[in-house]
Amino acid sequence: MGETFYSDVTYVAVNQDVRESTKTLLWTLKTLPVQKLCLLHVHIPFSLNPSSRLDASEINAIQQSELKTSNVSLEKYRDLCTNKGVINKEDVDISLISGSGVGEGIVKLINQKNIKKLVMGAAADPHYSRGMSITSRKAEYVSRHAPTHCKMWFICKGKLIKTREGSLDLGYPSDSFHTSSQKSNKGNKTNPVKEHFGQEQDDQKSNGSEADCAPKDFVCPISLEIMRDPHVAADGFTYEVKEIRKWINGGNSTSPSTGAKLSHPHLTPNYTLRSLIKDWLQHHPNYKH
């Protein structure tokens, strides 16, 4: 893809798990007048304590596997864009960056590339409800810390949850943030975000660190919760053992991740990942799941 002006590009933040961001991407293609699109993904590499029992080669192998998975997912998103016939493949770019936190990485990129338009998830699709607000810590972080020149749409389950209007100011968010059911009231000087969450809760969340978000590979694709006993299925994906057993014992013969037929029902313990999760939890005692 040739060089384009960033103001002409609509950025869509996507997760590694294609199922989690497909509806957000489809909303973008259907709703916005997209001419150029960039799929944005922040890769969080493993960062282990020196006391970890894994050697450098094992850690490197896991990191390379993660990176490969992210690239494969981004290509699937690109194919989804072109298959819908809304935009040509050469007009879909990919931006894969590494960082210590997803929200922090997105804000950094907005500043670096002077991004004017960004679409991202407001919450995981299962958390959707009418009249909901943003529940994703990543989205909250971006909405509070991104410069005001960037217009943002926050989506859940293919529906618009909130819009933050962009402006010519070079400062940070103030009163330009409103829900899809709210009409912007420029004469109102109160901050709708603080009205909704309350000052005390707002301050607490703004002090939270994105580093406390669990790496995606620690999360079971079925339950969407961090795994305690990860097992590898025939499709090559890792699941919480009780979840994948429930899936198979329920009469399902296909992969819950790809939909392809499973060649066998046998499960293999993923001891390396179990050790990584245990190590990560020990060093993130404030993690809530």
Side-chain angles (χ1 to χ4, degrees):
M1 179 176 173
E3 183 177 358
T4 61
F5 292 106
Y6 295 124
S7 59
D8 295 332
V9 181
T10 300
Y11 283 74
V12 182
V14 294
N15 293 319
Q16 187 183 75
D17 187 340
V18 177
R19 297 172 304 171
E20 294 186 22
S21 298
T22 292
K23 291 182 179 179
T24 296
L25 181 57
L26 292 177
W27 179 91
T28 304
L29 296 172
K30 180 181 178 180
T31 309
L32 303 182
V34 177
Q35 295 181 337
K36 304 284 185 180
L37 187 142
C38 184
L39 301 166
L40 167 61
H41 177 68
V42 180
H43 172 67
I44 310 297
F46 283 117
S47 179
L48 298 181
N49 189 278
S51 62
S52 172
R53 290 171 292 179
L54 296 176
D55 59 36
S57 62
E58 289 176 311
I59 296 173
N60 182 66
I62 293 171
Q63 291 176 337
Q64 291 303 314
S65 176
E66 276 190 325
L67 202 56
K68 181 179 179 180
T69 300
S70 294
N71 277 299
V72 169
S73 296
L74 287 167
E75 288 300 331
K76 289 181 179 179
Y77 284 119
R78 194 205 293 262
D79 290 340
L80 180 63
C81 293
T82 57
N83 290 342
K84 290 297 177 181
V86 178
I87 191 169
N88 297 322
K89 189 170 185 177
E90 58 268 22
D91 293 323
V92 182
D93 209 345
I94 287 175
S95 183
L96 175 60
I97 62 174
S98 295
S100 59
V102 175
E104 293 161 355
I106 292 175
V107 171
K108 182 178 180 180
L109 196 69
I110 291 173
N111 283 293
Q112 287 180 341
K113 295 194 172 185
N114 196 31
I115 294 173
K116 303 295 186 183
K117 293 175 284 187
L118 172 73
V119 182
M120 69 180 298
D125 286 350
H127 297 158
Y128 173 77
S129 63
R130 293 186 62 182
M132 67 175 288
S133 186
I134 292 175
T135 61
S136 164
R137 285 181 289 180
K138 299 183 288 289
E140 287 180 3
Y141 184 92
V142 174
S143 70
R144 289 183 172 89
H145 293 82
T148 56
H149 67 253
C150 182
K151 181 172 182 177
M152 294 184 288
W153 297 264
F154 296 90
I155 313 300
C156 184
K157 207 174 182 179
K159 300 181 185 299
L160 177 64
I161 304 303
K162 287 183 180 290
T163 303
R164 200 199 76 175
E165 298 295 337
S167 72
L168 296 178
D169 297 332
L170 297 180
Y172 289 85
S174 56
D175 61 350
S176 57
F177 192 58
H178 59 84
T179 66
S180 59
S181 60
Q182 273 184 312
K183 291 184 178 180
S184 179
N185 183 358
K186 294 183 179 179
N188 187 351
K189 296 183 179 181
T190 59
N191 188 336
V193 176
K194 292 184 178 180
E195 278 188 343
H196 181 83
F197 290 107
Q199 180 67 48
E200 181 178 356
Q201 186 176 1
D202 186 24
D203 291 342
Q204 290 174 348
K205 291 193 176 185
S206 65
N207 290 333
S209 171
E210 278 291 311
D212 280 340
C213 293
K216 283 293 181 183
D217 285 337
F218 290 179
V219 177
C220 174
I222 299 176
S223 67
L224 299 181
E225 295 181 353
I226 196 165
M227 293 178 282
R228 296 304 195 274
D229 191 6
H231 278 57
V232 182
D235 60 359
F237 287 85
T238 300
Y239 305 89
E240 175 63 35
V241 64
K242 66 177 182 180
E243 297 293 343
I244 188 61
R245 280 179 179 164
K246 184 189 300 182
W247 171 269
I248 295 173
N249 293 339
N252 296 295
S253 59
T254 58
S255 163
S257 293
T258 67
K261 186 175 180 61
L262 294 172
S263 59
H264 60 78
H266 307 301
L267 305 174
T268 304
N270 191 333
Y271 294 117
T272 299
L273 185 57
R274 184 190 299 175
S275 177
L276 290 169
I277 293 173
K278 183 179 180 180
D279 182 89
W280 188 88
L281 287 172
Q282 288 176 346
H283 294 90
H284 295 79
N286 294 327
Y287 173 74
K288 296 180 180 180
H289 57 87

